[in-house]
Amino acid sequence: MKALYTAGPKLFELAERPKPVPASDEVLVRVRSVAICHTDLNIKNGLSPAVVYPRIPGHEIAGVVEACGSGVKHLKPGDFGALQTIIGCGGCVPCRLGLTNNCEHFDELGLKRDGGFAEYCTIPEKNFVKLDPATDPDCACLSEPLANAVSAVRRAGVKPLHSAVVIGPGPIGLLVLAMLRLNGLDNIILAGTRDERLALGKRYGASHLVNVRKCDAADAIRNQLLGGRGADLVFDCSGTSSGFTLSLATVARFGKIIIEGLVHPDDRVPFSPGMLPGNASIITVEGWLPEDFQTAATLIENGRIDVGGLITHRMPLTQWQRGFELAETKGEGIIKAILHP
C-alpha cells in the first residue's frame, strides 16, 4: 500500500509499505480522509517527544471497515466511522480512573503505532466510532480536533453567565468558540494576529475581535470590553508564550486559564503566583476522553458544529509535500488540509 513513511526527523517519503493485518480485536480500515495537524509538523521536524520512529503518521482519520479480526463483534465490512486514536492500556491507575488520555502506557495512531497517512490502518474495534455513512469523510476526520475543543470546554466548567476569551484563532481555537456558543455563552472575545482568521471567528461565535498587533490587547480586552473585571474563562489556544502572557493579563478573579495548545519546548514566560488574580486557576488540557470524542463525532454527524468551514484544501496523498508546506508556512489562507490516500 502507499503510505507517508518516516524513518526519523526530516526523513518523510511516500513509500510502499506492507498492508497491515488486524489482530483479533481489531478492524482493518480503508482510510477515506486524514487531516494534517500541527502535531504532524512536529513529527516531521523532530519536535514531538511522544513519537516512536519509524512511523506512518496521521491521527485525524475517517474511513471504512475493510476487514474484521476474528474477535470483532459489533462491526462489519462497509461500516463507516471516525477513528478514536488514543488507545488506553486499561490497567494503569489513570485508565482505571477513566482518564485514558493520561494512560501511563498509551498507544496512539500516528505516534506509537502506524496511523492514517496511508491507504489502510488498523485500530481496536472499541476505538472505531461508527457514523452515518452519509457523513462527509472530510468532516468526520475532524472529530479528533473537535474532541480537543470538547475536552477543553468540559474542563472549564462553563456556566451561562461566564465571559470568555479565546486566544489563537487556529482550528482548535475556532472549535472552542463554536463549543462555547453551543454551551450558551454570548460574550466571547477572540484574539489573534491575522484579520482574515479573526473574521472567520464571527462565523464560529465570537462577539468581539481583537487583533493583538493593532492595539494594547490586554487593555482592550480587560478594560474596554470587560469593564475592568477580566474574563471568567481564558482559553489559550495559541501555543505561544505571548498567548499565555495575555491570558495572565486578562483573566478575572476566580477565573480560569485553560491552556489548550502545543507550546515549543524552548518557550519560557516569567511567572510568579502573584501574577494571577485572587483565586484564579490554570488548567492544562492534553488530549480527550472517549466520551469527548464520541460527543465530537456525534456533533459532526448531526451537523451541529460546522467543521467543514475549516477545510480550505483537499488533495491526494501523493501531494503531501504541498499540504505540509502550506501548513508550515500558513500559505494560501490554509486552515485545514485534508489528504485522500
Side-chain angles (χ1 to χ4, degrees), residues 18 70 78 130 168 174 208 323:
S70 60
K130 188 176 174 180
L174 293 170
H208 304 282

Side-chain angles (χ1 to χ4, degrees), residues 9-10 17 91 158 174-175 181 203 239 266 287 315 319 327 339:
K10 302 185 185 299
R17 301 297 300 167
V158 176
L174 293 170
L175 292 173
R181 181 64 76 178
R203 174 175 171 179
D266 294 333
M315 59 196 74
Q319 294 182 18
L339 299 181

Side-chain angles (χ1 to χ4, degrees), residues 21-88:
V21 177
S24 63
D25 65 339
E26 295 180 340
V27 292
L28 175 69
V29 176
R30 175 70 168 91
V31 178
R32 294 283 304 279
S33 301
V34 55
I36 297 173
C37 171
H38 190 77
T39 297
D40 299 315
L41 305 182
N42 285 346
I43 292 171
K44 176 177 176 289
N45 295 319
L47 297 175
S48 174
V51 67
V52 177
Y53 300 100
R55 186 62 54 224
I56 297 172
H59 62 278
E60 299 180 3
I61 311 164
V64 176
V65 174
E66 179 90 358
C68 299
S70 60
V72 171
K73 299 177 180 178
H74 305 294
L75 294 174
K76 63 184 186 302
D79 285 342
F80 170 76
L83 277 60
Q84 184 179 288
T85 48
I86 297 176
I87 303 167

Side-chain angles (χ1 to χ4, degrees), residues 262-279:
L262 295 175
V263 180
H264 192 282
D266 294 333
D267 276 357
R268 296 290 184 271
V269 176
F271 174 73
S272 72
M275 296 171 70
L276 275 175
N279 294 298

Side-chain angles (χ1 to χ4, degrees), residues 1-339:
M1 68 173 184
K2 290 184 175 62
L4 181 56
Y5 177 78
T6 173
K10 302 185 185 299
L11 295 176
F12 273 43
E13 63 173 343
L14 194 64
E16 284 291 330
R17 301 297 300 167
K19 184 177 177 179
V21 177
S24 63
D25 65 339
E26 295 180 340
V27 292
L28 175 69
V29 176
R30 175 70 168 91
V31 178
R32 294 283 304 279
S33 301
V34 55
I36 297 173
C37 171
H38 190 77
T39 297
D40 299 315
L41 305 182
N42 285 346
I43 292 171
K44 176 177 176 289
N45 295 319
L47 297 175
S48 174
V51 67
V52 177
Y53 300 100
R55 186 62 54 224
I56 297 172
H59 62 278
E60 299 180 3
I61 311 164
V64 176
V65 174
E66 179 90 358
C68 299
S70 60
V72 171
K73 299 177 180 178
H74 305 294
L75 294 174
K76 63 184 186 302
D79 285 342
F80 170 76
L83 277 60
Q84 184 179 288
T85 48
I86 297 176
I87 303 167
C89 73
C92 68
V93 172
C95 278
R96 284 184 282 140
L97 290 172
L99 303 174
T100 51
N101 58 331
N102 289 298
C103 174
E104 295 172 355
H105 313 288
F106 80 96
D107 209 353
E108 184 171 0
L109 269 68
L111 286 171
K112 293 191 172 185
R113 61 184 282 169
D114 287 341
F117 288 138
E119 293 181 279
Y120 298 92
C121 67
T122 57
I123 193 167
E125 177 185 21
K126 64 183 176 65
N127 285 71
F128 187 92
V129 178
K130 188 176 174 180
L131 297 172
D132 186 328
T135 308
D136 182 350
D138 291 355
C139 292
C141 77
L142 298 184
S143 297
E144 200 280 339
L146 180 55
N148 284 276
V150 172
S151 175
V153 171
R154 172 180 57 80
R155 294 282 307 281
V158 176
K159 296 180 180 179
L161 291 178
H162 277 157
S163 58
V165 173
V166 178
I167 301 170
I172 302 297
L174 293 170
L175 292 173
V176 166
L177 273 176
M179 287 303 303
L180 291 171
R181 181 64 76 178
L182 196 64
N183 276 264
L185 296 199
D186 296 319
N187 191 11
I188 313 170
I189 300 164
L190 177 64
T193 60
R194 288 174 283 168
D195 284 333
E196 68 277 6
R197 191 67 69 83
L198 287 167
L200 186 58
K202 280 288 188 181
R203 174 175 171 179
Y204 282 87
S207 55
H208 304 282
L209 308 175
V210 175
N211 188 319
V212 301
R213 290 178 174 168
K214 296 182 177 181
C215 66
D216 181 335
D219 178 68
I221 293 170
R222 174 178 284 279
N223 297 320
Q224 298 175 36
L225 295 176
L226 294 173
R229 180 176 174 273
D232 300 300
L233 306 173
V234 181
F235 294 84
D236 181 7
C237 305
S238 69
T240 64
S241 56
S242 59
F244 180 64
T245 300
L246 183 58
S247 300
L248 292 170
T250 52
V251 69
R253 289 176 59 84
F254 292 92
K256 299 174 186 175
I257 296 172
I258 302 94
I259 300 176
E260 166 54 90
L262 295 175
V263 180
H264 192 282
D266 294 333
D267 276 357
R268 296 290 184 271
V269 176
F271 174 73
S272 72
M275 296 171 70
L276 275 175
N279 294 298
S281 57
I282 298 174
I283 298 171
T284 59
V285 178
E286 184 175 45
W288 34 261
L289 300 178
E291 51 264 40
D292 297 323
F293 194 98
Q294 181 66 65
T295 296
T298 301
L299 288 170
I300 291 172
E301 180 183 45
N302 295 339
R304 297 188 66 196
I305 297 289
D306 176 24
V307 295
L310 302 179
I311 301 171
T312 53
H313 294 74
R314 296 173 172 87
M315 59 196 74
L317 182 63
T318 53
Q319 294 182 18
W320 71 270
Q321 288 175 301
R322 176 171 177 260
F324 271 65
E325 180 181 353
L326 290 174
E328 288 191 284
T329 62
K330 298 181 174 62
E332 297 182 9
I334 191 170
I335 302 176
K336 269 294 186 182
I338 309 293
L339 299 181

